[in-house]
Amino acid sequence: MIATSTRDDIAQAWGVLHNALGLSDRIRDEAQYRHMVEFAESIAESLPDNDNEPLWGLVEIITDQINDYEARHYPTPEVSGADMLRFLMEQHGLKQSDLAEIGGQSVVSEILSGKRSLNVRQIRTLAKRFGVSPAAFV
């Protein structure tokens, strides 16, 4: 059970976050969607590549909401992160060894074969490299 003081602290922090971002259980309209995309992109660009950064958790929550909204309003064929990476590599004439920033050639091979999933840092790195939304790899 959560202590009353802790619960109150969480409730206060949630109120501030909710008021600042309009964060709720889901994105309800196009204006909120655009706001959340802009916020997620701006905060993601400002955070260090450290996976231990606590704000990455907030980015993931918002990204999940963005993905949910897009799935409801802009349905697209299902494409895996590996499929998207493979497509972008082909479009840019890249080999597995050209993606050292996400791991060695064996790691890239495992991602492309579906044996390994992309992690948050790799997704962020690839999104920046190719100039696409991180959601393209989710």
Side-chain angles (χ1 to χ4, degrees), residues 6 22 28 61 63-64 73 83 104 134 136-137:
T6 301
R28 302 203 183 277
I61 290 168
T63 301
D64 287 346
H73 297 278
D83 290 337
F137 297 100

Side-chain angles (χ1 to χ4, degrees), residues 63-96:
T63 301
D64 287 346
Q65 289 189 342
I66 291 168
N67 290 337
D68 180 58
Y69 183 87
E70 289 174 344
R72 287 191 324 256
H73 297 278
Y74 308 110
T76 57
E78 290 295 318
V79 177
S80 71
D83 290 337
M84 180 57 70
L85 178 57
R86 193 175 296 104
F87 170 77
L88 290 168
M89 288 173 65
E90 183 178 310
Q91 292 296 305
H92 291 86
L94 300 174
K95 300 177 292 212
Q96 293 178 6

